[in-house]
Amino acid sequence: MHDILRRLGLDKHPRVIADPTGTETPESDGVVVSFNPATGRPLAAVRLDTAEDLDRITARAAAAFDRWRRVPAPKRGEVVRCIGNAFRDRLEDLGSLVALEMGKIKAEGVGEVQETIDIADFAVGQSRMLYGKTMPSERPLHAMKEQWLPLGPVGVITAFNFPNAVWGWNAMLAAVCGDVCVWKPSLLTPLITIATNDIAERVAREMGHEDVFQYVIGTDAAVGEAMIADRRYPMISATGSCRMGRRVASVVGQRLGKCLLELGGNNAVIIEPDADLDLALKSTVFGSVGTCGQRCTTTRRLYLHESIADEFVARLARAYETVRIGDPLSEGTLVGPLITAQAVEAFENAVATAQEQGASLITGGGRVDPSRLPGDLSGGHFVTPTVLRAPANNRLPIAMEETFAPILYIFTYRTLDEAIAMHNGVDQGLSSAIFTGSSRSAERFLDPSGAGSDCGLAYVNLGTSGAEIGGAFGGEKDTGGGRESGSDSWKAYMRRQTCTTNFGETFALAQGIRFE
Ligand code: NAD
């Protein structure tokens, strides 16, 4: 077993089978095998939960919720503070495990766990600021206020690409709000779930609060569908593809539950002729190749003003060729593997389709032969970050879809209005950016009438990828409309109650209605 797994105690964990030899398929015989995407070899196997297990876990969550909601919010914050500190102690190991199991480079894996620590800190402060409002009543001797109450057990469904932080954004805030969480992760990253949740659960348990953090690892058919249909979860917070979001929204909607949806993106950058092109270049390369194109906020489309397009494309191609591909855990690697062999196929299909649709290949476009990479990475899912330039008429239907791989499509424009129209002309609405030296162009992009970027995140002179936890994170249109993390996102984990007290002695109705 890999050292990183041992350091996190996964070798002795009752759910983990250290030697998965003989288990050929990802999900068979009640176990799921976790693979290292950089080698294609198994790391360990994990016993799967069934619908009956979920039922038991949900009953425990409901009982834990009844206890936890009675703990004063600042005391819940104290528990979250200690959990954040426990993650600080394991930052390096957890970040390495993210790199090992998901395939992002170690710096990004550690950065992801740091994000969970940051949101824990944020949530501690928030635990003393779950503010309601008071409002004047129109009736004499009446008082009105609004208060925020815990919601219940929250089902947290996460995608493979942020296997630690997406849970952190949800769980840390939900916990200070008085909710308990049941985490249903992607079956591609079960080990990170076990390691992460065990740390949080142990800290909470040692402080006298059992079952505030639980997880269920099972198939979508057995466990995912049962969770989203279960009325004991007043809210399902789901992160993943638009396809998954449509299913979750319809099942949860049928039972009139609440959804928080963080779905696919198809993010674009506009580069104006007056932009700082060095800055734009660095940001675009990070945004498009970082995490091997497997971030929801990855830059997938680039709109270049026609006066700078040729020069910028040439510089981009040179920069791409210097990007070091390899083992995510090795120093100096900038791009790791894709998650699975199917992801490599989807990448190849998209590249081929783009070319059939008239795009020209600028750089990349294929698999990397792992035998040419340092270390034993045979079986790794490596591809070359790819740039494709759309035909002169800018018609490239494949660019309207999110392919979860490092493919950047380039378009050219004449006017900023034309660029913004093309930028907004996709179904998704997560992250967006403009590079410009002009405040007029910047403000046009951020137009408060809503006629600028139609995304949930809009940046000026920085790339689409890499949000800070202090702001509300999420997107519009097919991205699902959810908001997580900072600002007032905590309200999603609570229910609002408007309270009115008559402290007089007369029967008074609103709107002056007399009923005597
Ligand atoms: P996915 O949709 O395949 O799976 C996401 C999660 O949904 C997994 O846990 C999966 O098991 C679960 N799921 C799928 N069908 C379900 C069902 N019927 N019932 C219950 N659960 C179900 O996504 P993925 O491949 O893991 O992740 C990549 C996608 O996630 C991309 O589209 C990416 O843009 C998106 N994503 C979005 C954000 C965001 O914040 N907007 C963040 C990360 C990833």
Side-chain angles (χ1 to χ4, degrees), residues 1-11 18 36 39 42-44 96-97 99-101 191 327 329:
M1 191 177 239
H2 201 287
D3 265 2
I4 295 169
L5 272 59
R6 249 187 229 110
R7 287 207 294 275
L8 286 160
L10 291 167
D11 53 334
N36 177 352
T39 62
L43 290 166
S96 301
L97 180 59
L100 184 70
E101 193 178 34
L191 296 171
D327 184 348
L329 285 162

Side-chain angles (χ1 to χ4, degrees), residues 158-161 184 220 225 239-241 262-264 296 402 473:
T158 57
F160 80 86
N161 66 323
K184 198 220 74 61
D220 295 337
E225 287 285 327
T239 300
S241 58
E262 298 279 354
L263 310 175
C296 49
E402 179 197 47
F473 180 92

